[in-house]
Amino acid sequence: MEEAGKGFDVVAQEVRELAAKSATAAKEITALINTSSNAAVHSGVSLVTETGATLSEIEQFVADMYQRVSAIAGTSKEQHANLSSISASVNSMDQMTQQNAAMVEQTSAATASLSNDSQTLA
């Protein structure tokens, strides 16, 4: 029986050692999980912060582009109004030119008629 008791003591000692090793391993695993979780959370927070800053920059660029496009649109409207005014002036000048051409024809006809009348009188 003594041998059975010694065998039991040996087995019990082995079980205690395995339990101690398991507890140590569990503590190490918990520490690794906490460390990696904290690092991952910190990294995630940094990435979110960088993303927010980048989105703010993009928002500013879009606002600047909107202002520039609005300025271009306003200038385009002014140019359109000026071109419309120039077009109206050119049309008016064309009408005056046509009227002058008609008057020149009338004057030429009257001059020819006067020339014939003066030859007749002469």
Side-chain angles (χ1 to χ4, degrees):
M1 259 206 178
E2 229 175 270
E3 272 185 44
K6 284 184 182 179
F8 182 74
D9 285 340
V10 169
V11 170
Q13 181 61 33
E14 288 292 321
V15 169
R16 280 191 287 262
E17 287 177 14
L18 283 173
K21 286 180 182 178
S22 292
T24 303
K27 286 180 185 177
E28 289 175 3
I29 289 170
T30 301
L32 287 172
I33 288 172
N34 287 337
T35 301
S36 63
S37 292
N38 289 339
V41 167
H42 180 68
S43 176
V45 168
S46 294
L47 290 173
V48 167
T49 302
E50 286 178 36
T51 301
T54 302
L55 287 174
S56 292
E57 287 180 36
I58 291 171
E59 179 185 16
Q60 185 59 46
F61 287 136
V62 168
D64 289 345
M65 283 179 28
Y66 175 77
Q67 289 176 348
R68 290 178 182 171
V69 167
S70 294
I72 290 170
T75 303
S76 294
K77 285 180 183 178
E78 287 179 32
Q79 287 178 347
H80 178 266
N82 290 338
L83 287 173
S84 294
S85 176
I86 290 171
S87 179
S89 296
V90 167
N91 285 338
S92 177
M93 287 173 50
D94 183 49
Q95 288 175 354
M96 292 170 114
T97 301
Q98 288 177 6
Q99 288 174 353
N100 284 344
M103 288 171 47
V104 166
E105 279 185 40
Q106 289 173 355
T107 304
S108 291
T111 303
S113 176
L114 279 175
S115 175
N116 284 338
D117 287 348
S118 16
Q119 284 178 359
T120 303
L121 284 175

